[in-house]
Amino acid sequence: MITNAQSSNIHMDKKQLKALMRRSDRPGLTYLAAWIALLAITGTPVILTAGSWWFIPAILVYSGCFAVSAYALSHECAHGTAFRTRWLNEAVFWVTSLLYYEEPLHRRYSHASHHTHTWIEGEDNQMPYAPIPLTFAGWVEEILGLGLYWHQTKMFVLHSLGIFSENVKRVTPASELPRMQSNTQICVAIYLGLAAISMAAGWLWPLYLIVIPRVLGGPVMNAFILMQHVEMAENQPNIVQSTRSFRTNWFFQFLYFNMNHHIEHHLYPTVPFHALPDLSDKLGDQLPPPDPGFISTHWEVLKITIRRSLGRNDRSAKIRQAFSDDLTGAQNDQSVA
Amino acid sequence: MTNQWHDACATDDVDDEDLITMKLAGQTVAIYNTPEGFFATAGMCTHEDESLDGGLVMDGVIECPLHQGRFCVRTGKALSAPVVENLKTYELQVRDGRVWVKV
């Protein structure tokens, strides 16, 4: 079961779509420069306040800016849509994947399975580690990212040794596994090398600007990731029923590379991040209205998981929900098997 | 009938830096119009059997619309993950404003 625009009964004029798919280096470079400037602005107080109580708010602000965009830019580069120039896309993909804590080739193949079989159990390699629908305990697990840290750490060890799970082999051609192994070894060498040099030289900046922010910013980043499909229907072909788009302010849109337009992204993943708002406008009423802002939507998700854990009504009137046995919305359902 | 020349389309049927797909002799064939000329390959991605029809043609490369796997339209060579298997290519001729493909 391939999940795409066709399986979702969404249609778009081919010429319009091709125009939106066009690549350019300029938007990606502009975003990248703005992100680096933001990290410089928010990272300077982290270094200057180290050892004082001011360090705590400084590093919290920096961590959110660091982790969310590292994930979002790595994701965009995994699609090859961040930049027109291929080497630039791949170079930024490597750096941001290292910051995100995943070997790039594995990231690309596991994400391909996520797009081919969106939210289909046993097929989509990027579903939550906690059972869904999420309970409160599952929400905590996903937000803290404990499953992800364990999974990725295990992969760095096993893939370095050339050991691949059946799940990885299912989505990766056998001819690519040696490259995945050597890539993983390079990643591990970079991590261990930086740690060794930092200890030898007495550097604290990698700890303050990369390691701690990746952990502290992880929950915010995971909240953005979780919003993409949580409380939506599993195991059916319609992306509109399995995926959520939501409104958010310009700053969060910037940090998240416009991935709040997530239904649109899954329908047409070849459209680069900078064209997603335009794509959303052109798809118009083929799409359901986006959910309210990031914080209000996520607050509602949290309340739903608490009510579900207490055995109470887990349906919400404030955000979109869809369940495989109870699909919502009349539109675009003709394709649902 | 296989290994025959087929009158596939008019040159004007394919926009600049774009492609169309069609069935010829039971095969799905993609015909590309690039600055370097017209080319023809198999029309389905070798990764997940997705039609290349909605893909992006750029710098002599076709990018699959589902996962952005990339192939050289001239040689069919798979250029980047998640594609590793090359596309079959077909001989192509342009005669009097018509595109002929040998399938």
Side-chain angles (χ1 to χ4, degrees):
Chain A
M1 183 195 297
I2 289 182
T3 51
N4 56 17
Q6 190 181 358
S7 74
S8 308
N9 199 32
I10 298 281
H11 307 282
M12 188 162 180
D13 175 72
K14 189 176 171 182
K15 280 194 193 305
Q16 278 191 330
L17 183 59
K18 297 269 175 176
L20 292 172
M21 285 159 55
R22 290 286 160 206
R23 301 290 154 71
S24 167
D25 285 338
R26 182 176 288 182
L29 287 171
T30 304
Y31 264 66
L32 181 61
W35 182 48
I36 291 170
L38 180 67
L39 293 184
I41 291 166
T42 56
T44 302
V46 172
I47 299 296
L48 295 178
T49 60
S52 78
W53 285 104
W54 289 107
F55 177 74
I56 295 171
I59 201 165
L60 284 173
V61 169
Y62 175 82
S63 298
C65 299
F66 171 86
V68 174
S69 292
Y71 157 78
L73 186 49
S74 164
H75 166 262
E76 192 69 25
C77 292
H79 282 283
T81 46
F83 305 97
R84 181 187 173 106
T85 304
R86 191 68 188 178
W87 69 261
L88 180 60
N89 188 85
E90 296 307 289
V92 175
F93 183 40
W94 261 88
V95 173
T96 51
S97 296
L98 281 164
L99 298 177
Y100 174 65
Y101 195 51
E102 185 167 4
E103 183 273 306
L105 194 60
H106 175 264
R107 177 146 176 69
R108 188 162 268 155
Y109 275 107
S110 65
H111 196 60
S113 87
H114 173 61
H115 272 269
T116 315
H117 309 292
T118 302
W119 224 231
I120 294 173
E121 286 177 296
E123 301 284 345
D124 178 349
N125 270 20
Q126 292 191 326
M127 291 190 78
Y129 297 96
I132 49 176
L134 285 184
T135 60
F136 177 65
W139 178 87
V140 171
E141 182 184 340
E142 289 301 313
I143 291 297
L144 292 180
L146 300 178
L148 186 65
Y149 288 132
W150 169 242
H151 181 72
Q152 297 306 100
T153 303
K154 199 168 65 174
M155 286 212 177
F156 278 119
V157 174
L158 295 178
H159 291 189
S160 289
L161 299 170
I163 301 167
F164 300 95
S165 69
E166 288 306 314
N167 220 21
V168 171
K169 287 194 271 192
R170 184 174 53 77
V171 301
T172 312
S175 62
E176 290 281 71
L177 294 176
R179 192 155 71 99
M180 196 176 279
Q181 180 182 5
S182 59
N183 276 1
T184 311
Q185 290 167 340
I186 292 168
C187 291
V188 171
I190 291 171
Y191 288 140
L192 294 180
L194 183 60
I197 292 169
S198 300
M199 282 191 276
W203 291 347
L204 286 175
W205 66 263
L207 197 63
Y208 291 160
L209 298 180
I210 299 174
V211 180
I212 294 174
R214 174 61 185 82
V215 176
L216 281 182
V220 184
M221 179 191 80
N222 293 332
F224 273 99
I225 298 171
L226 192 61
M227 289 269 285
Q228 298 169 354
H229 304 281
V230 70
E231 295 301 315
M232 302 306 293
E234 304 152 58
N235 305 325
Q236 50 79 48
N238 191 337
I239 284 165
V240 175
Q241 298 286 3
S242 67
T243 307
R244 162 177 291 104
S245 289
F246 57 95
R247 279 188 289 272
T248 192
N249 61 56
W250 68 268
F251 182 65
F252 281 3
Q253 282 203 63
F254 161 72
L255 284 183
Y256 198 31
F257 279 67
N258 290 328
M259 277 303 133
N260 54 303
H261 296 288
H262 211 67
I263 296 175
E264 297 88 322
H265 167 64
H266 269 266
L267 292 170
Y268 299 110
T270 310
V271 173
F273 71 98
H274 54 83
L276 285 176
D278 203 6
L279 173 64
S280 186
D281 289 343
K282 289 190 165 54
L283 287 170
D285 58 9
Q286 289 190 81
L287 301 180
D291 276 336
F294 168 70
I295 292 170
S296 52
T297 301
H298 205 95
W299 176 240
E300 192 61 23
V301 169
L302 173 59
K303 287 192 293 183
I304 289 166
T305 63
I306 293 171
R307 289 203 302 270
R308 182 174 292 135
S309 296
L310 296 172
R312 296 183 186 164
N313 181 11
D314 63 359
R315 299 304 197 256
S316 169
K318 294 182 179 172
I319 63 168
R320 290 179 65 234
Q321 287 176 294
F323 300 92
S324 298
D325 57 349
D326 180 20
L327 296 169
T328 59
Q331 63 186 354
N332 303 318
D333 283 349
Q334 294 94 320
S335 63
V336 175
Chain B
M1 290 211 297
T2 56
N3 220 22
Q4 300 276 325
W5 284 100
H6 298 266
D7 182 358
C9 61
T11 51
D12 292 346
D13 291 341
V14 195
D15 289 341
D16 292 343
E17 286 219 271
D18 203 359
L19 79 157
I20 60 170
T21 59
M22 64 182 63
K23 285 275 189 189
L24 292 175
Q27 305 295 312
T28 305
V29 176
I31 297 171
Y32 308 89
N33 180 1
T34 77
E36 290 75 38
F38 283 80
F39 300 97
T41 72
M44 304 298 285
C45 181
T46 57
H47 173 230
E48 292 277 5
D49 213 25
E50 173 81 0
S51 171
L52 296 173
D53 190 60
L56 177 66
V57 180
M58 185 175 63
D59 303 330
V61 170
I62 172 67
E63 190 179 280
C64 174
L66 190 58
H67 298 122
Q68 295 78 59
R70 298 158 67 248
F71 301 92
C72 172
V73 302
R74 180 188 292 270
T75 64
K77 183 177 171 56
L79 297 175
S80 62
V83 295
V84 291
E85 189 182 331
N86 297 343
L87 282 177
K88 182 178 172 58
T89 56
Y90 297 100
E91 284 185 64
L92 179 146
Q93 291 182 353
V94 176
R95 296 183 225 146
D96 301 327
R98 303 291 304 177
V99 176
W100 291 76
V101 182
K102 193 175 186 182
V103 181

